[in-house]
Amino acid sequence: MVLYTTPFPSNFFSFLHSLSWALIFPCCWLGDRLLASFLPTTYEKRQRSDDPCYIQVLFIIITTPIYLALLVSSLPFAFIGFLVWSPIQAARRPYVYSHIQEKACATEAKLLAEWRATSSGKSFCFGTANVCLLPDSMARFNNLFNTQARAKEIGRRIRNGASRPQIKIYIDSPTNTSISAASFSSLVSPQGGDTSHRAVNVGMKRTTSMEYKGENFGVNSCEEGRNWRNGGDTADGEESPCIIRISGEDSDHISDTETDAISGHVNVACLAEIETDFQKSPTANHKGKDADGGSLDSCTASRESLFKVRMADGAVDQSSVNNKLLYKTSIIKKATARKKKHMDDILDHDISAFFPANLDFLCLQEVFDKRAAEKLKEQLHFYFEYVLYDVGVYGCHGCCGFKFLNSGLLFASRYPILDATYHCYPNGRGIDALAAKGALFVKVQVGTTPQGQRIVGYISCTHLHALAGDAVTRCEQLDMLQEWVCEFRKSTSSSSTANQEELVVFDVICGDLNFDNCSSEDKLEQQHSLFTHYKDPCRLSQGEEKPWAIGTLLDPEGLYDEEVCSPDNMQKVLENEEGRKEYLVYPASKNHCPNQKGRKVPLKGSGRRVDYMLFTEEGLNMEWKVDVEEYSFITQLAGLTDHVPVAMRLTVSTGEEES
């Protein structure tokens, strides 16, 4: 199948579309600005709280007539443009495929050869987030604004978080002699060229992050972009894994409840041995990351988000001190300190201030605004070589009715995309029917076997009907989703029983399903057969979540509170039960109070979890076993969206390895 790199099959249609949209856009923009002026966010209200009220009234009185006059004058041109724009949407393709040719050619061979080097297995990291990139006036109904700036910042934070090195922390303890095996994920050192053993001694403060300044600190994003565009190497020797060890006497200071209060000295030993090719990141850290992922105006780069604190035995030899390295790291709970109430709860889970290092696949929802999608795509391309965006249909299209907005889906990948298709849900109702909500199905190649067989995976990204009380509509969409997944796999499979040309190692569904596993109103969706074929790592059973699972839907009124306006602050709040009650939306009940804050009625669960990551072992190659290695709730987009992103790392291993 040929991937579509342009929205239309010919230059003539592209010209007509550009011309017609140039006539329509002024009218749309003026209407958006006019409506937005009457919908201030809580952030804007606080900014204006010290100003006399008549100033805002005067501003509206002056600008409203101007906007109205310009809007009325633009209507005739918009009408002419609409007459041209609407019919040519029938020829529009369902998505636009973007890839960086120079970088893709260099990394594709490396990535696809990884499997040959490992032979026994590999891990893949998936992320999903609802980013609410609607036209500005519509985003304000969710207490969000400045869609264009948010789109650029969201992309920057995601790629900064994903391009970090990953560091392991081991705690030396005389009571535990076991060391958990390192994950398949890449362990990357930020300093290249040094193949000798290195160590850094630092004091760990009472905070959720640590910072060290590196010699590349301060390089701006423009220079980074130029280096990346030219396809140059970002740093030599960045493949050296870094491991942090804490001595036995220091490990005693770590409590189960104070995971961010670790005192003592930390020995950062960067091992000289280079791991096999499959553990190397194809997109090593660019020199001079252009901002911290935690704030809009920070000048430092986010370096690390995930410390795995485990108990280990043995002493660590001290070596030369290197104080030039700077990392920023979030510390999570010790794996051995967690009380595992259920036998199947063996995966690592945390609330992280950053996206996982070495994120392989990203599924986004509500990327509705076209200009915002372009800005987001440009930022994501600093890390992801392959992006599918502008997914969906417009105008009158089959049985889906007239669509003013596309599906809002966006998919980014570090691995080559082989096939992709999109389906629109035909049963949208109310205001949801104005958007082409549907499902995007993608087939990616993640490796090749020594025998030359392709190793592939399937990823589905979707966004279901949002209106409350429409359980039947969502269940119908789940039925269609399952049917479309099966059709896509059959239509794109090149294997047969006699001739297996490819091996399937994972099948994942990501997206905003707009229902949770605890609300009494969502019982119909909770019972759907999708959950018998696909596994939800956060779900114990219908109506019951695992103890560590939290909600992903934030209370819009509190988005700009100081307690949750930064990734670190939101991380601390979500780790606390009282904080979650304050800032998360909880499952609806008969005693549900519309005011989240100060609520005293009993709350069910730990918030509404509407963003899902599901996987299945059905239809995969019999030789491979799929397990969830990590599951994270991410706060890096604090203040930029009303959802909490989630990430999942799947480990694909062989039967021989398990035995």
Side-chain angles (χ1 to χ4, degrees), residues 62-133:
I62 294 175
T63 58
T64 299
I66 297 175
Y67 280 136
L68 280 174
L70 293 174
L71 180 63
V72 171
S73 62
S74 67
L75 283 175
F77 299 99
F79 180 72
I80 296 173
F82 180 79
L83 294 178
V84 178
W85 175 86
S86 183
I88 65 175
Q89 298 310 306
R92 187 186 180 279
R93 291 163 169 171
Y95 59 81
V96 178
Y97 170 63
S98 174
H99 68 288
I100 306 303
Q101 187 66 36
E102 304 84 8
K103 199 175 182 183
C105 293
T107 59
E108 182 173 342
K110 180 180 178 180
L111 285 170
L112 298 184
E114 289 176 355
W115 206 283
R116 300 187 182 187
T118 63
S119 71
S120 60
K122 199 170 185 288
S123 72
F124 303 95
C125 190
F126 306 81
T128 184
N130 183 319
V131 291
C132 198
L133 292 178

Side-chain angles (χ1 to χ4, degrees), residues 209-491:
S209 61
M210 296 190 308
E211 293 191 3
Y212 310 84
K213 290 190 177 180
E215 53 191 82
N216 292 328
F217 168 73
V219 182
N220 60 37
S221 59
C222 296
E223 182 178 346
E224 173 188 5
R226 288 193 297 269
N227 293 338
W228 167 78
R229 291 288 183 185
N230 294 331
D233 293 331
T234 57
D236 296 330
E238 286 187 350
E239 300 84 357
S240 301
C242 291
I243 295 179
I244 293 181
R245 295 185 182 272
I246 300 177
S247 59
E249 57 271 17
D250 293 328
S251 65
D252 294 336
H253 297 292
I254 304 176
S255 65
D256 294 341
T257 57
E258 294 184 319
T259 59
D260 61 335
I262 304 180
S263 59
H265 288 82
V266 180
N267 306 319
V268 183
C270 297
L271 307 183
E273 293 81 359
I274 305 301
E275 296 190 348
T276 53
D277 289 341
F278 84 94
Q279 290 174 307
K280 300 176 184 179
S281 170
T283 52
N285 296 305
H286 305 290
K287 289 187 177 181
K289 288 291 181 294
D290 66 346
D292 185 287
S295 63
L296 288 166
D297 54 358
S298 174
C299 297
T300 60
S302 300
R303 304 296 293 176
E304 174 59 349
S305 70
L306 191 59
F307 269 137
K308 291 184 176 179
V309 184
R310 303 178 187 233
M311 305 301 293
D313 186 25
V316 181
D317 295 333
Q318 300 289 333
S319 60
S320 60
V321 177
N322 185 348
N323 289 322
K324 291 184 178 181
L325 301 180
L326 173 72
Y327 293 36
K328 184 167 185 177
T329 278
S330 295
I331 300 170
I332 67 172
K333 291 181 174 60
K334 299 178 293 182
T336 56
R338 291 195 301 264
K339 296 181 180 179
K340 297 179 180 180
K341 299 181 180 180
H342 304 278
M343 293 300 294
D344 61 338
D345 188 10
I346 59 176
L347 60 94
D348 286 339
H349 48 81
D350 74 311
I351 299 172
S352 173
F354 302 93
F355 276 85
N358 306 311
L359 184 65
D360 295 309
F361 308 102
L362 179 67
C363 300
L364 300 179
Q365 300 86 48
E366 292 199 11
V367 188
F368 288 116
D369 189 280
K370 280 188 174 182
R371 292 186 298 149
E374 288 286 347
K375 292 179 173 65
L376 179 60
K377 179 204 68 173
E378 289 299 319
Q379 288 295 318
L380 293 178
H381 263 319
F382 279 96
Y383 179 76
F384 295 100
E385 287 84 357
Y386 311 93
V387 177
L388 296 174
Y389 71 106
D390 198 11
V391 179
V393 296
Y394 296 90
C396 294
H397 195 275
C399 59
C400 292
F402 192 90
K403 304 298 180 183
F404 289 94
L405 298 173
N406 61 18
S407 70
L409 301 175
L410 183 146
F411 176 78
S413 172
R414 291 172 59 215
Y415 291 91
I417 297 174
L418 299 178
D419 290 294
T421 191
Y422 159 82
H423 290 282
C424 177
Y425 294 127
N427 62 340
R429 297 175 54 190
I431 192 172
D432 255 23
L434 301 179
K437 283 190 174 182
L440 175 67
F441 304 96
V442 183
K443 178 182 179 181
V444 294
Q445 182 175 359
V446 297
T448 55
T449 66
Q451 294 75 29
Q453 295 173 298
R454 289 192 306 188
I455 302 174
V456 301
Y458 288 91
I459 305 165
S460 305
C461 182
T462 189
H463 189 188
L464 298 189
H465 187 68
L467 298 184
D470 283 349
V472 174
T473 300
R474 281 186 286 273
C475 285
E476 291 173 352
Q477 293 177 349
L478 290 176
D479 291 336
M480 287 183 274
L481 177 65
Q482 288 191 97
E483 181 182 351
W484 291 337
V485 168
C486 294
E487 291 177 356
F488 180 67
R489 290 193 56 172
K490 289 180 181 178
S491 63

Side-chain angles (χ1 to χ4, degrees), residues 479-521:
D479 291 336
M480 287 183 274
L481 177 65
Q482 288 191 97
E483 181 182 351
W484 291 337
V485 168
C486 294
E487 291 177 356
F488 180 67
R489 290 193 56 172
K490 289 180 181 178
S491 63
T492 59
S493 175
S494 59
S495 297
S496 63
T497 305
N499 181 25
Q500 291 191 348
E501 297 179 3
E502 61 186 23
L503 305 177
V504 180
V505 292
F506 62 77
D507 184 349
V508 174
I509 295 178
C510 306
D512 180 357
L513 303 188
N514 274 310
F515 65 86
D516 63 80
N517 192 39
C518 294
S519 294
S520 56
E521 296 180 354

